[in-house]
Amino acid sequence: RMDKLEQDVEVLKQDVEVLKKDVEVLKKDVGVLKMDVASLRGDNFERKVRENAPAFLGRVIKRLRPIDRYALADLLEDAVEKGLISEEEKDFAIRVDFAGRGRLQDKEVYIALEATLSLYPEDVEKASKRAEILWRALSTETIPVVVFQSAQKPALERAEELGVLVVKAEE
């Protein structure tokens, strides 16, 4: 019986080692899945904001219309050719989550919108910088906007400092 018991213990040790390796693989896989899901959630949120921008901004910006990415690229390229912005600024501005045109009171304005699930100061700064580039490129007032689901106090303070319009999306 002792021999049988020793054999069983040895088999159990081997099984535990296999399980340890499997658990390590699972931990890595779960980590990758978490990152993938977070990325998909962020992409989906950005898409929803783009598709529903008038719902988020309709009380402030009237008659809001999106600017097609290709049209925006053309406008920015024209600004580069005129020496109004640099090539690097064009490359940065074109990655705006949503660009639009509408009316604020009685004047035409553009908006440069960043959409993010969790708002950080760097998101606010990105919106501000992209709006500033668009303003120089288009010679029309451009309002920086961030739409978010959650934000820390430093991000909201930074938005106030930079004059960035903040919109909390309902979950």
Side-chain angles (χ1 to χ4, degrees):
R1 286 180 65 174
M2 267 319 251
D3 286 344
K4 175 72 171 132
L5 189 57
E6 286 176 359
Q7 287 176 351
D8 288 348
V9 167
E10 197 54 43
V11 168
L12 282 173
K13 283 181 179 177
Q14 292 171 359
D15 288 348
V16 166
E17 284 304 312
V18 169
L19 284 173
K20 283 181 180 178
K21 290 177 184 172
D22 288 348
V23 166
E24 283 304 311
V25 169
L26 283 173
K27 282 181 181 178
K28 288 178 185 173
D29 289 348
V30 167
V32 169
L33 284 172
K34 283 181 176 180
M35 289 188 325
D36 288 349
V37 168
S39 177
L40 288 171
R41 284 185 66 226
D43 288 349
N44 189 51
F45 182 71
E46 287 179 18
R47 180 190 55 75
K48 284 182 179 180
V49 170
R50 273 192 307 273
E51 290 174 359
N52 298 297
F56 292 105
L57 300 170
R59 291 184 181 215
V60 179
I61 309 293
K62 305 297 182 191
R63 301 180 183 270
L64 180 61
R65 298 290 182 264
I67 300 173
D68 173 87
R69 288 243 184 244
Y70 297 100
L72 180 61
D74 290 346
L75 291 168
L76 291 169
E77 189 61 45
D78 290 345
V80 169
E81 290 172 4
K82 293 175 186 174
L84 300 172
I85 63 172
S86 70
E87 191 74 37
E88 293 77 19
E89 289 172 319
K90 177 197 78 163
D91 293 343
F92 181 73
I94 194 68
R95 291 192 302 272
V96 68
D97 291 337
F98 176 85
R101 178 179 28 233
R103 299 202 63 74
L104 176 64
Q105 296 156 349
D106 289 333
K107 62 182 173 181
E108 182 180 50
V109 296
Y110 287 91
I111 66 161
L113 183 149
E114 293 297 317
T116 182
L117 289 169
S118 299
L119 183 63
Y120 294 98
E122 44 278 7
D123 299 313
V124 171
E125 292 163 1
K126 195 185 314 180
S128 178
K129 182 168 172 55
R130 286 184 171 141
E132 188 269 330
I133 293 168
L134 289 176
W135 175 80
R136 284 191 291 119
L138 306 172
S139 299
T140 302
E141 182 180 356
T142 305
I143 299 169
V145 180
V146 290
V147 178
F148 63 94
Q149 282 189 343
S150 66
Q152 300 293 322
K153 190 176 180 180
L156 297 174
E157 289 170 348
R158 189 69 175 136
E160 191 171 331
E161 288 171 15
L162 294 175
V164 174
L165 175 63
V166 293
V167 178
K168 183 172 183 357
E170 299 301 317
E171 296 184 41

